Amino acid sequence: MKTFENVTSIEQMEAETAKLKEMAVKLGTETWEDRNKNQTPHCKFGEDGVCCKNCSMGPCRITAKASRGICGADAHAIAGRNYLRMIAAGTSAHSDHARELLHVLHGASPNGSYRVRDEQKLLRLANEWGVATENRDIYDVAHEVAEVGLMEFGKPFGTQLFIKRAIPQRQKVWKEQNIEPRAIDREIATAMHMTHMGNTADAEVLVRQGLRASLSNGWGGSMLGTEVTDILFGIPTVRNTEGNLGVLEKDMVNIVVHGHDPAFSEMVVTAAELKELSDYAKTKGAKGINIVGLCCTANEVAMRHGVRMAGNFLQQENAILTGAIEMMCVDIQCIFPALASLSECFHTKFVTSSSIARIPGAIHVEFKPETAFEQAKELIKMAVDNFSKRDNSKVYIPPTKQAATVGYPCEQIIKQLDGITNSHVDELGSYRPAIDAIKAGVLRGAVAIVGCNNPRVRPDYSHFEIMKELLKNDVLIVATGCSAQLATKAGFLNKEAKYICGAGLRRVCDLVDIPPILHMGACVDISRMMLLASGIARDWGVDTTQIPVIGCAPEWMSEKAVSIANYVVSTGIDVYLGIEPQVKGSAQMMELITQGTRKITGAGYIINKDPHELVKAMLDGIEAKRAALGI
Ligand code: BF8
Ligand code: SF4
């Protein structure tokens, strides 16, 4: 039988990193590997979540001799408050990202840098929200939709509009459990207020607010971010691209866009397509301009433009270490401050663009929607001018890259499913063909693998091992964020990767013409996954807790990830984690996040640092759901 031998192993990826690391050593500069060593072992109190510095009587730490802080807060209260603060921070990050985009939509105009790219999606949202559309200019509609969206952050009454998109069973759970998300900013402020000195000390109450605040992200901020991005830049469609550092070009001006907010990177990508700029690059001795992405910005531009992806989170310093980057432009989130000083070892210009993420040593070009396109052009010129300063004695571009097919939002998945059965049910389509495949056992289920990579474990290895095992066992994977990028680097987004899958999944890949892992976008696009799971549950006629669909974040690290994990659990989907949340110092908190939430939402965490044990638990979990459904 045919096989797919073109997988890039973790060992190969590590060998390339080691080679780049040689350059860092030669230049006498450090990277995360060194800093990680210096930070190990980590502070035990922080690791266990039992250090409180929420007031200046502290910091207080829970130890064998001190079971309470000065105010009397115990380990459960302290760990619970720290945990809720992580959720609040994560919720604020995703949601503020969406808020910025809503302002961009509010300022969009037919002749401006930002236009409405997908009128149909805008009109659908306007109808959903009761915004008048008939005989109106599309930009008037856009501006009013943006206003309604912005009100979701601070409205004094009511709950998030998008929760009506959830299946009725879920809405009922949220209402009965009193975790329906209200205004986004309110849920964040409430979380911060509850955790202020002298307020909530009951761990369960803190966990409940975590669920509620996270819902204002998943079914609020993140979903707004995704919707508005689609309206402004188009719903992603299937594209062929490539991934890993081999996408850098030795004869071209290499510009990396890194971060999360696509408003900035879209301008850079569009400007780079201008003939005047590529001609300009040629006058400077380069063959052209090569824009590549890092982290979630990479996912955004890959899915909409086919821009190639240089890599994920822990690869950001490696990109600079190639010595072949003329400019790295960053926007917000997951950007190492270390990039500024590392860039100084090379000719690389390191440019920050947002007031939210300012870094000493960077060139700061505050990006403004009104002048965005012009600013992007200026930056590209600056990068081109920098090409001649590249020092070839410091250049090493690892040769490895993989072909990838990306761009599978719900709309695309439905379209492809429709294509095989002609079972077009209604305007929104149906997941029934996928459900039939699951019921028949051709597919055992589906897993959303998401999140970061993390030096607490062998980076990327857990993603890799878990994916490989699930594919072999006929489990379809949807991926976002840095996980999707690992899948890209490994070669799992190549349609030919079907040959590493079980016979059932391979058949589905053939029939639907998809790679075995569907790239659904950036981390804000986990909201797409919530709609996907809800759509499957709706078409199946059961609750989301019942379908053999689970989530997994094998190497999560950010506060955003904690917020995401909580809204996934709130949506009724079990979350398998490969990194322990920092609450271990409280047995009650450990019980709450693994068992307690099951009584509230029907789902919880399963935690195991060993990827092989974790994937076994995942397969067991899927089979248990199948058995309960009688399939
Ligand atoms: O939002 S997966 S390291 S890049 S937090 Fe960050 Fe984690 Fe990557 Fe995207 Ni998500
Ligand atoms: Fe210590 Fe309580 Fe202050 Fe926390 S809030 S630092 S436990 S006194």
Side-chain angles (χ1 to χ4, degrees):
M1 202 193 67
K2 213 174 150 188
T3 54
F4 178 66
E5 296 188 342
N6 192 24
V7 172
T8 303
S9 68
I10 294 294
E11 288 72 21
Q12 271 169 277
M13 294 181 208
E14 288 171 343
E16 292 193 339
T17 296
K19 198 130 191 239
L20 289 165
K21 182 72 190 152
E22 283 171 21
M23 177 55 71
V25 172
K26 202 162 129 197
L27 296 173
T29 186
E30 57 167 38
T31 57
W32 67 259
E33 288 89 341
D34 310 297
R35 296 187 297 271
N36 186 50
K37 242 181 240 153
N38 296 343
Q39 287 295 339
T40 311
H42 292 272
C43 164
K44 187 90 177 75
F45 301 104
E47 199 165 60
D48 290 353
V50 291
C51 170
C52 179
K53 49 183 183 53
N54 292 9
C55 88
S56 79
M57 291 192 284
C60 297
R61 299 168 305 177
I62 303 303
T63 63
K65 86 168 203 298
S67 64
R68 288 176 185 271
I70 295 167
C71 66
D74 62 12
H76 317 302
I78 292 175
R81 295 193 306 210
N82 290 338
Y83 183 70
L84 178 53
R85 285 198 166 197
M86 287 189 90
I87 297 170
T91 301
S92 74
H94 274 152
S95 303
D96 212 31
H97 162 168
R99 184 186 343 239
E100 291 291 332
L101 285 162
L102 281 158
H103 279 293
V104 170
L105 182 64
H106 195 257
S109 66
N111 311 315
S113 295
Y114 296 99
R115 301 176 199 164
V116 171
R117 191 82 51 87
D118 194 318
E119 293 191 5
Q120 290 312 313
K121 186 135 188 173
L122 170 67
L123 292 174
R124 274 204 299 279
L125 186 57
N127 288 332
E128 183 180 336
W129 284 352
V131 171
T133 56
E134 240 169 81
N135 302 323
R136 282 186 87 184
D137 181 88
I138 196 76
Y139 283 88
D140 287 344
V141 177
H143 300 157
E144 193 176 334
V145 161
E147 270 175 42
V148 176
L150 285 164
M151 288 306 288
E152 290 298 276
F153 288 80
K155 61 186 182 187
F157 306 107
T159 50
Q160 286 297 297
L161 292 170
F162 280 146
I163 62 175
K164 297 209 179 63
R165 289 180 168 190
I167 52 172
Q169 298 96 309
R170 271 295 107 188
Q171 294 185 45
K172 191 160 163 262
V173 167
W174 296 341
K175 193 172 193 64
E176 283 174 4
Q177 293 296 334
N178 201 26
I179 55 170
E180 277 182 313
R182 300 159 294 180
I184 301 162
D185 289 351
R186 176 169 188 185
E187 297 305 355
I188 297 165
T190 298
M192 295 308 285
H193 187 181
M194 285 170 76
T195 54
H196 185 276
M197 191 275 152
N199 286 325
T200 301
D202 182 328
E204 186 186 330
V205 178
L206 295 163
V207 166
R208 278 179 177 275
Q209 177 57 22
L211 297 172
R212 191 173 205 173
S214 74
L215 278 170
S216 79
N217 177 6
W219 293 83
S222 276
M223 205 170 274
L224 284 165
T226 296
E227 290 282 320
V228 177
T229 304
D230 284 355
I231 291 168
L232 283 168
F233 308 117
I235 299 175
T237 50
V238 175
R239 300 200 181 251
N240 292 322
T241 181
E242 291 178 324
N244 213 344
L245 288 173
V247 301
L248 296 171
E249 300 289 347
K250 79 172 185 340
D251 301 324
M252 295 176 87
V253 176
N254 291 308
I255 302 177
V256 183
V257 286
H258 172 20
H260 288 78
D261 183 344
F264 177 60
S265 47
E266 279 279 336
M267 288 302 115
V268 177
V269 170
T270 324
E273 283 162 6
L274 291 176
K275 187 167 178 304
E276 64 178 84
L277 286 175
S278 53
D279 286 348
Y280 184 60
K282 283 176 197 142
T283 67
K284 300 284 172 178
K287 284 204 174 132
I289 300 162
N290 181 37
I291 308 274
V292 301
L294 261 176
C295 284
C296 281
T297 285
N299 295 321
E300 298 274 8
V301 288
M303 298 230 299
R304 293 195 179 79
H305 300 274
V307 167
R308 298 182 299 166
M309 300 176 275
N312 52 3
F313 181 60
L314 289 175
Q315 210 157 330
Q316 52 187 297
E317 288 173 295
N318 289 4
I320 305 265
L321 285 172
T322 63
I325 311 263
E326 274 56 59
M327 179 177 283
M328 185 181 280
C329 299
V330 303
D331 49 82
I332 50 166
Q333 300 169 15
C334 302
I335 299 149
F336 276 5
L339 295 177
S341 49
L342 186 61
S343 296
E344 281 166 16
C345 301
F346 298 89
H347 72 306
T348 308
K349 293 207 183 290
F350 178 63
V351 179
T352 53
S353 62
S354 166
S355 58
I356 297 290
R358 298 223 31 191
I359 296 169
I363 301 167
H364 186 66
V365 177
E366 184 100 13
F367 162 71
K368 302 248 172 357
E370 313 81 58
T371 48
F373 195 62
E374 287 309 310
Q375 288 179 296
K377 275 165 62 180
E378 282 308 308
L379 284 174
I380 292 175
K381 265 199 210 122
M382 197 197 286
V384 171
D385 289 336
N386 200 23
F387 181 69
S388 61
K389 312 230 173 66
R390 192 191 286 180
D391 176 352
N392 282 320
S393 71
K394 289 187 191 167
V395 173
Y396 170 68
I397 301 176
T400 310
K401 60 182 176 181
Q402 282 278 3
T405 304
V406 303
Y408 293 95
C410 297
E411 290 89 339
Q412 186 64 34
I413 295 175
I414 292 261
K415 199 164 134 200
Q416 301 214 199
L417 288 175
D418 268 359
I420 49 160
T421 57
N422 280 325
S423 66
H424 197 75
V425 180
D426 54 36
E427 197 212 338
L428 291 173
S430 160
Y431 293 104
R432 264 169 241 165
I435 295 169
D436 289 343
I438 296 175
K439 282 186 179 165
V442 179
L443 289 181
R444 304 310 293 176
V447 177
I449 308 193
V450 303
C452 332
N453 50 11
N454 188 327
R456 281 193 164 255
V457 290
R458 185 177 171 189
D460 286 337
Y461 176 72
S462 300
H463 290 280
F464 187 93
E465 290 296 300
I466 290 169
M467 285 175 181
K468 219 175 51 185
E469 197 58 25
L470 292 176
L471 296 182
K472 246 198 275 167
N473 282 282
D474 292 327
V475 176
L476 180 76
I477 298 173
V478 291
T480 54
C482 289
S483 188
Q485 304 236 5
L486 176 275
T488 308
K489 288 195 286 182
F492 298 154
L493 298 191
N494 187 325
K495 284 191 186 163
E496 291 299 296
K498 66 188 173 198
Y499 292 110
I500 57 170
C501 302
L505 177 55
R506 189 164 60 243
R507 232 168 78 207
V508 171
C509 290
D510 271 333
L511 215 62
V512 194
D513 189 27
I514 47 170
I517 299 185
L518 300 180
H519 187 308
M520 288 192 87
C523 287
V524 283
D525 293 325
I526 295 172
S527 62
R528 297 191 201 272
M529 293 173 165
M530 296 304 93
L531 294 175
L532 175 67
S534 302
I536 292 173
R538 176 200 64 206
D539 292 345
W540 199 311
V542 295
D543 190 4
T544 32
T545 46
Q546 294 172 274
I547 55 174
V549 171
I550 54 176
C552 175
E555 304 184 22
W556 71 275
M557 64 83 204
S558 73
E559 291 167 314
K560 287 180 287 178
V562 189
S563 177
I564 294 168
N566 274 275
Y567 74 66
V568 175
V569 162
S570 301
T571 306
I573 299 165
D574 284 334
V575 175
Y576 291 73
L577 299 176
I579 305 275
E580 287 167 320
Q582 292 157 334
V583 299
K584 258 191 319 187
S586 158
Q588 192 191 349
M589 275 303 292
M590 283 305 284
E591 201 278 336
L592 276 165
I593 59 174
T594 54
Q595 297 305 324
T597 55
R598 292 177 193 280
K599 292 182 213 112
I600 306 170
T601 73
Y605 295 162
I606 294 91
I607 307 165
N608 197 319
K609 271 166 113 170
D610 180 315
H612 302 109
E613 286 174 20
L614 190 65
V615 74
K616 181 163 184 318
M618 291 165 74
L619 289 166
D620 290 348
I622 286 173
E623 291 306 322
K625 299 240 179 215
R626 293 184 64 94
L629 281 164
I631 53 170

